[in-house]
Amino acid sequence: LIGHCLEHGDTRPFQELVEQLVLAGAASLPVLREIRQEIQSQQSTLRQEGLAVRHNLRQALTGLGLNVAHLLGRDFPDMLWEVRSQRLKQRAREAARNLPVEDQRLVDQVCSEAGDRAVNVADRLGVLGHLEAAVDDWLGSLAYQAARTDDGASHGANATRKH
């Protein structure tokens, strides 16, 4: 289901599943925790994919003779934003202005492809963020409910023993 949401960008089926798990009560806590772990695992995989976009872009531009140290940010969110923005493409064009025309076209192509990949990664991370928030919202509530239910049961058992 998570894969479906990522592929289609639609979180509605996931929201419906979470609602059903919430209606099932505290017994669904382990399932929600497992879902959250899967979401976090996929987020980690996507971050690695984003870093690979940066690495491949850096290698391609360096291979074309460009000094890329000043073109790409160091922080992951900044880097994704830069790769998908036109600013990187403009800065790369400026750096490539002394290259042959064919190499300048390659710089544009490499930046465009990296931008497309970065947008894809960022979009999927956004979907996963929404899924994780939905799970986290209900995990806290269900954990609280489970704790209150356990407290009530233990107080009831203690009261029965005293009589």
Side-chain angles (χ1 to χ4, degrees):
L1 185 59
I2 293 170
H4 171 83
C5 292
L6 289 174
E7 187 176 320
H8 298 285
D10 180 14
T11 62
R12 192 174 40 244
F14 184 84
Q15 296 287 353
E16 291 169 1
L17 170 67
V18 170
E19 288 171 14
Q20 292 301 314
L21 290 170
V22 168
L23 290 174
S28 65
L29 274 171
V31 175
L32 286 169
R33 287 184 181 122
E34 187 176 330
I35 290 170
R36 182 177 59 185
Q37 287 176 338
E38 178 60 27
I39 291 168
Q40 290 171 340
S41 173
Q42 289 194 26
Q43 286 172 325
S44 178
T45 299
L46 281 174
R47 284 187 190 96
Q48 291 300 317
E49 189 176 324
L51 291 172
V53 169
R54 178 179 188 232
H55 176 75
N56 293 340
L57 177 61
R58 182 177 287 253
Q59 280 190 317
L61 294 177
T62 300
L64 290 166
L66 299 181
N67 177 4
V68 296
H70 67 284
L71 293 178
L72 296 171
R74 296 182 190 273
D75 295 332
F76 183 76
D78 292 341
M79 178 277 302
L80 266 185
W81 181 83
E82 285 178 352
V83 170
R84 53 187 244 199
S85 76
Q86 290 297 314
R87 190 175 83 184
L88 172 70
K89 198 173 197 178
Q90 291 168 347
R91 289 167 52 194
R93 281 181 183 154
E94 287 174 21
R97 69 181 173 270
N98 294 328
L99 295 178
V101 173
E102 186 58 36
D103 286 351
Q104 290 179 24
R105 285 189 195 122
L106 283 174
V107 167
D108 278 351
Q109 181 181 353
V110 164
C111 289
S112 291
E113 289 172 2
D116 292 345
R117 288 179 59 206
V119 166
N120 185 283
V121 168
D123 288 349
R124 291 184 291 157
L125 280 171
V127 169
L128 287 174
H130 289 296
L131 300 182
E132 183 179 33
V135 170
D136 284 346
D137 286 349
W138 288 110
L139 268 175
S141 298
L142 286 176
Y144 177 76
Q145 177 189 9
R148 296 216 9 111
T149 302
D150 288 346
D151 282 348
S154 66
H155 288 308
N158 289 339
T160 306
R161 286 187 211 148
K162 289 181 183 177
H163 294 303

